[in-house]
Amino acid sequence: QVQLRQSGPGLVRPSQTLSLTCAISGDSVSTNSATWNWIRQSPSRGFEWLGRTYFRSKWYNEFAVSVKSRITVNPDTSKNQFSLQLNSVTPEDAAVYYCARNNNWSFDVWGQGTLVTVSS
Amino acid sequence: QSALTQPPSVSGSPGQSVTISCTGTSSDVGGYNRVSWYQQSPGTAPKVIIYEVTSRPSGVPDRFSGSRSGNTASLTFSGLQAEDEADYYCSSFSSSGSYVFGTGTKVTVL
């Protein structure tokens, strides 16, 4: 049974960096058959796909245009996890952040979600 | 990237058949067999109930079914049950390489 466990702070100061980690159990971040994604949900913007990392003979990272200049997603094979960093946050970045596995073009396993507040 | 359009709410009595629509464009819903549907209860992560337009993951009741016509995908409940009361979202892969989600539909069982 594949599980994703998120960790990271729920409060980020404006202009600072949001950092979250997603630990994987029951699968490998290096698998050739899935991608590892970050998605957020807010009342104002709904669900928004942010980006993904995946391995297909080499590592690939792809990001939504809306956050491309501010986002980093990194795999950590030694810990079997992947991370999200979002720079220069504003109140518009406040949301519930989810990590999720994509398999068969759908998000079939989700983390528990992290409510991120942006406030000084 | 514009969100896919869903009705804000639908309702029905137990046993009734109910359908939720999800309208996109030829660059997402109409262009790829990569539409999925998610059920979300308050305070929980979404759960996939349909993938690749019509496929159901193991363990998902067969009263849930998916279909597509042109740029509109649909989720049908064949015999609504009380435990189906939740929010439902569609999602599609898009030509930009990203994923786009629907605006969400609240299903109420009367």
Side-chain angles (χ1 to χ4, degrees), chain B residues 17-18 39 50 56 60-66 75-85 88:
Chain B
S17 181
V18 170
Q39 177 190 61
I50 296 289
R56 243 185 345 266
V60 173
D62 60 6
R63 66 177 181 275
F64 294 99
S65 64
L75 173 68
T76 298
F77 303 71
S78 302
L80 196 61
Q81 296 192 8
E83 59 262 37
D84 298 336
E85 193 160 284
Y88 292 82

mmCIF file of all heavy atoms in Angstrom, chain B residues 17-18 39 50 56 60-66 75-85 88:
data_model
loop_
_atom_site.group_PDB
_atom_site.id
_atom_site.type_symbol
_atom_site.label_atom_id
_atom_site.label_comp_id
_atom_site.label_asym_id
_atom_site.label_seq_id
_atom_site.Cartn_x
_atom_site.Cartn_y
_atom_site.Cartn_z
ATOM 1 N N SER B 17 -30.554 8.563 -10.469
ATOM 2 C CA SER B 17 -29.378 8.713 -11.311
ATOM 3 C C SER B 17 -29.042 10.199 -11.457
ATOM 4 O O SER B 17 -29.937 11.003 -11.760
ATOM 5 C CB SER B 17 -29.639 8.094 -12.679
ATOM 6 O OG SER B 17 -28.507 8.212 -13.507
ATOM 7 N N VAL B 18 -27.771 10.543 -11.256
ATOM 8 C CA VAL B 18 -27.339 11.940 -11.296
ATOM 9 C C VAL B 18 -26.068 12.028 -12.118
ATOM 10 O O VAL B 18 -25.207 11.146 -12.048
ATOM 11 C CB VAL B 18 -27.069 12.463 -9.862
ATOM 12 C CG1 VAL B 18 -26.396 13.825 -9.899
ATOM 13 C CG2 VAL B 18 -28.363 12.536 -9.070
ATOM 14 N N GLN B 39 -13.345 12.374 -5.597
ATOM 15 C CA GLN B 39 -14.334 12.594 -4.545
ATOM 16 C C GLN B 39 -13.592 13.154 -3.339
ATOM 17 O O GLN B 39 -12.557 12.618 -2.939
ATOM 18 C CB GLN B 39 -14.993 11.263 -4.169
ATOM 19 C CG GLN B 39 -15.997 11.337 -3.045
ATOM 20 C CD GLN B 39 -16.408 9.934 -2.594
ATOM 21 O OE1 GLN B 39 -15.567 9.149 -2.138
ATOM 22 N NE2 GLN B 39 -17.671 9.614 -2.749
ATOM 23 N N ILE B 50 -12.513 7.789 -10.935
ATOM 24 C CA ILE B 50 -12.482 7.482 -12.365
ATOM 25 C C ILE B 50 -11.148 7.976 -12.921
ATOM 26 O O ILE B 50 -10.706 9.085 -12.594
ATOM 27 C CB ILE B 50 -13.623 8.159 -13.137
ATOM 28 C CG1 ILE B 50 -14.994 7.645 -12.683
ATOM 29 C CG2 ILE B 50 -13.456 7.982 -14.654
ATOM 30 C CD1 ILE B 50 -15.316 6.214 -13.102
ATOM 31 N N ARG B 56 -12.397 2.582 -13.702
ATOM 32 C CA ARG B 56 -12.629 2.679 -12.261
ATOM 33 C C ARG B 56 -11.533 1.953 -11.509
ATOM 34 O O ARG B 56 -11.249 0.785 -11.805
ATOM 35 C CB ARG B 56 -13.971 2.003 -11.915
ATOM 36 C CG ARG B 56 -15.041 2.886 -11.345
ATOM 37 C CD ARG B 56 -16.288 2.088 -10.929
ATOM 38 N NE ARG B 56 -16.382 0.755 -11.442
ATOM 39 C CZ ARG B 56 -17.018 0.423 -12.541
ATOM 40 N NH1 ARG B 56 -17.602 1.374 -13.257
ATOM 41 N NH2 ARG B 56 -17.056 -0.835 -12.950
ATOM 42 N N VAL B 60 -13.705 0.903 -6.131
ATOM 43 C CA VAL B 60 -14.694 1.955 -6.370
ATOM 44 C C VAL B 60 -15.983 1.300 -6.867
ATOM 45 O O VAL B 60 -15.945 0.523 -7.829
ATOM 46 C CB VAL B 60 -14.177 2.985 -7.385
ATOM 47 C CG1 VAL B 60 -15.270 3.979 -7.769
ATOM 48 C CG2 VAL B 60 -12.963 3.713 -6.816
ATOM 49 N N PRO B 61 -17.107 1.595 -6.250
ATOM 50 C CA PRO B 61 -18.371 0.952 -6.644
ATOM 51 C C PRO B 61 -18.726 1.196 -8.106
ATOM 52 O O PRO B 61 -18.443 2.270 -8.653
ATOM 53 C CB PRO B 61 -19.398 1.619 -5.716
ATOM 54 C CG PRO B 61 -18.615 2.105 -4.554
ATOM 55 C CD PRO B 61 -17.282 2.484 -5.091
ATOM 56 N N ASP B 62 -19.353 0.199 -8.721
ATOM 57 C CA ASP B 62 -19.661 0.324 -10.147
ATOM 58 C C ASP B 62 -20.837 1.252 -10.420
ATOM 59 O O ASP B 62 -21.225 1.442 -11.578
ATOM 60 C CB ASP B 62 -19.889 -1.046 -10.785
ATOM 61 C CG ASP B 62 -21.043 -1.800 -10.155
ATOM 62 O OD1 ASP B 62 -21.758 -1.227 -9.299
ATOM 63 O OD2 ASP B 62 -21.228 -2.992 -10.498
ATOM 64 N N ARG B 63 -21.419 1.853 -9.384
ATOM 65 C CA ARG B 63 -22.451 2.856 -9.633
ATOM 66 C C ARG B 63 -21.848 4.163 -10.135
ATOM 67 O O ARG B 63 -22.562 5.045 -10.611
ATOM 68 C CB ARG B 63 -23.295 3.119 -8.384
ATOM 69 C CG ARG B 63 -22.554 3.753 -7.231
ATOM 70 C CD ARG B 63 -23.515 4.024 -6.063
ATOM 71 N NE ARG B 63 -22.854 4.656 -4.930
ATOM 72 C CZ ARG B 63 -22.213 3.986 -3.999
ATOM 73 N NH1 ARG B 63 -22.144 2.653 -4.061
ATOM 74 N NH2 ARG B 63 -21.627 4.625 -2.989
ATOM 75 N N PHE B 64 -20.526 4.301 -10.025
ATOM 76 C CA PHE B 64 -19.830 5.454 -10.586
ATOM 77 C C PHE B 64 -19.362 5.100 -12.003
ATOM 78 O O PHE B 64 -18.721 4.064 -12.199
ATOM 79 C CB PHE B 64 -18.600 5.827 -9.753
ATOM 80 C CG PHE B 64 -18.900 6.312 -8.368
ATOM 81 C CD1 PHE B 64 -18.792 5.461 -7.281
ATOM 82 C CD2 PHE B 64 -19.282 7.622 -8.150
ATOM 83 C CE1 PHE B 64 -19.049 5.905 -5.993
ATOM 84 C CE2 PHE B 64 -19.548 8.085 -6.868
ATOM 85 C CZ PHE B 64 -19.437 7.225 -5.784
ATOM 86 N N SER B 65 -19.667 5.971 -12.968
ATOM 87 C CA SER B 65 -19.183 5.735 -14.320
ATOM 88 C C SER B 65 -18.802 7.055 -14.977
ATOM 89 O O SER B 65 -19.360 8.110 -14.657
ATOM 90 C CB SER B 65 -20.228 5.002 -15.165
ATOM 91 O OG SER B 65 -21.381 5.793 -15.320
ATOM 92 N N GLY B 66 -17.842 6.975 -15.895
ATOM 93 C CA GLY B 66 -17.383 8.163 -16.589
ATOM 94 C C GLY B 66 -17.588 8.031 -18.083
ATOM 95 O O GLY B 66 -17.588 6.932 -18.633
ATOM 96 N N LEU B 75 -19.553 12.525 -15.151
ATOM 97 C CA LEU B 75 -19.530 11.517 -14.098
ATOM 98 C C LEU B 75 -20.974 11.211 -13.749
ATOM 99 O O LEU B 75 -21.742 12.129 -13.426
ATOM 100 C CB LEU B 75 -18.794 12.034 -12.868
ATOM 101 C CG LEU B 75 -18.839 11.150 -11.623
ATOM 102 C CD1 LEU B 75 -18.040 9.861 -11.862
ATOM 103 C CD2 LEU B 75 -18.300 11.901 -10.394
ATOM 104 N N THR B 76 -21.357 9.932 -13.813
ATOM 105 C CA THR B 76 -22.729 9.533 -13.528
ATOM 106 C C THR B 76 -22.779 8.633 -12.306
ATOM 107 O O THR B 76 -21.969 7.717 -12.163
ATOM 108 C CB THR B 76 -23.348 8.808 -14.731
ATOM 109 O OG1 THR B 76 -23.392 9.708 -15.844
ATOM 110 C CG2 THR B 76 -24.762 8.338 -14.416
ATOM 111 N N PHE B 77 -23.735 8.943 -11.439
ATOM 112 C CA PHE B 77 -24.035 8.101 -10.293
ATOM 113 C C PHE B 77 -25.299 7.312 -10.660
ATOM 114 O O PHE B 77 -26.377 7.905 -10.816
ATOM 115 C CB PHE B 77 -24.346 8.935 -9.047
ATOM 116 C CG PHE B 77 -23.264 9.902 -8.637
ATOM 117 C CD1 PHE B 77 -22.987 11.040 -9.374
ATOM 118 C CD2 PHE B 77 -22.537 9.695 -7.482
ATOM 119 C CE1 PHE B 77 -22.013 11.935 -8.988
ATOM 120 C CE2 PHE B 77 -21.566 10.591 -7.072
ATOM 121 C CZ PHE B 77 -21.300 11.713 -7.829
ATOM 122 N N SER B 78 -25.178 5.996 -10.806
ATOM 123 C CA SER B 78 -26.337 5.170 -11.141
ATOM 124 C C SER B 78 -26.920 4.590 -9.859
ATOM 125 O O SER B 78 -26.617 3.461 -9.481
ATOM 126 C CB SER B 78 -25.919 4.062 -12.098
ATOM 127 O OG SER B 78 -25.359 4.601 -13.271
ATOM 128 N N GLY B 79 -27.733 5.371 -9.205
ATOM 129 C CA GLY B 79 -28.292 4.940 -7.934
ATOM 130 C C GLY B 79 -27.582 5.641 -6.795
ATOM 131 O O GLY B 79 -26.733 5.066 -6.114
ATOM 132 N N LEU B 80 -27.899 6.904 -6.623
ATOM 133 C CA LEU B 80 -27.244 7.743 -5.620
ATOM 134 C C LEU B 80 -27.436 7.159 -4.216
ATOM 135 O O LEU B 80 -28.530 6.648 -3.884
ATOM 136 C CB LEU B 80 -27.847 9.146 -5.699
ATOM 137 C CG LEU B 80 -27.124 10.301 -5.040
ATOM 138 C CD1 LEU B 80 -25.744 10.500 -5.652
ATOM 139 C CD2 LEU B 80 -27.969 11.565 -5.166
ATOM 140 N N GLN B 81 -26.384 7.211 -3.405
ATOM 141 C CA GLN B 81 -26.471 6.717 -2.039
ATOM 142 C C GLN B 81 -26.042 7.829 -1.071
ATOM 143 O O GLN B 81 -25.309 8.742 -1.446
ATOM 144 C CB GLN B 81 -25.592 5.483 -1.859
ATOM 145 C CG GLN B 81 -26.046 4.297 -2.698
ATOM 146 C CD GLN B 81 -25.371 2.994 -2.314
ATOM 147 O OE1 GLN B 81 -24.663 2.927 -1.311
ATOM 148 N NE2 GLN B 81 -25.597 1.953 -3.110
ATOM 149 N N ALA B 82 -26.484 7.724 0.147
ATOM 150 C CA ALA B 82 -26.213 8.758 1.148
ATOM 151 C C ALA B 82 -24.717 9.015 1.300
ATOM 152 O O ALA B 82 -24.289 10.171 1.454
ATOM 153 C CB ALA B 82 -26.826 8.371 2.485
ATOM 154 N N GLU B 83 -23.927 7.959 1.210
ATOM 155 C CA GLU B 83 -22.478 8.122 1.398
ATOM 156 C C GLU B 83 -21.793 8.797 0.204
ATOM 157 O O GLU B 83 -20.600 9.091 0.255
ATOM 158 C CB GLU B 83 -21.809 6.777 1.678
ATOM 159 C CG GLU B 83 -21.987 5.741 0.596
ATOM 160 C CD GLU B 83 -23.104 4.780 0.904
ATOM 161 O OE1 GLU B 83 -24.134 5.220 1.478
ATOM 162 O OE2 GLU B 83 -22.960 3.584 0.568
ATOM 163 N N ASP B 84 -22.539 9.066 -0.863
ATOM 164 C CA ASP B 84 -21.977 9.758 -2.020
ATOM 165 C C ASP B 84 -21.957 11.269 -1.821
ATOM 166 O O ASP B 84 -21.396 11.992 -2.658
ATOM 167 C CB ASP B 84 -22.765 9.430 -3.292
ATOM 168 C CG ASP B 84 -22.712 7.953 -3.646
ATOM 169 O OD1 ASP B 84 -21.753 7.266 -3.222
ATOM 170 O OD2 ASP B 84 -23.639 7.484 -4.331
ATOM 171 N N GLU B 85 -22.548 11.747 -0.764
ATOM 172 C CA GLU B 85 -22.569 13.188 -0.506
ATOM 173 C C GLU B 85 -21.150 13.674 -0.226
ATOM 174 O O GLU B 85 -20.493 13.255 0.726
ATOM 175 C CB GLU B 85 -23.483 13.503 0.681
ATOM 176 C CG GLU B 85 -23.800 14.981 0.801
ATOM 177 C CD GLU B 85 -25.046 15.239 1.635
ATOM 178 O OE1 GLU B 85 -26.168 15.029 1.149
ATOM 179 O OE2 GLU B 85 -24.870 15.660 2.807
ATOM 180 N N TYR B 88 -17.053 16.842 -5.741
ATOM 181 C CA TYR B 88 -16.466 16.075 -6.830
ATOM 182 C C TYR B 88 -15.753 17.024 -7.789
ATOM 183 O O TYR B 88 -16.279 18.092 -8.140
ATOM 184 C CB TYR B 88 -17.547 15.271 -7.571
ATOM 185 C CG TYR B 88 -18.105 14.171 -6.707
ATOM 186 C CD1 TYR B 88 -19.101 14.434 -5.778
ATOM 187 C CD2 TYR B 88 -17.609 12.865 -6.808
ATOM 188 C CE1 TYR B 88 -19.591 13.427 -4.957
ATOM 189 C CE2 TYR B 88 -18.097 11.854 -5.994
ATOM 190 C CZ TYR B 88 -19.081 12.148 -5.075
ATOM 191 O OH TYR B 88 -19.560 11.156 -4.252
#
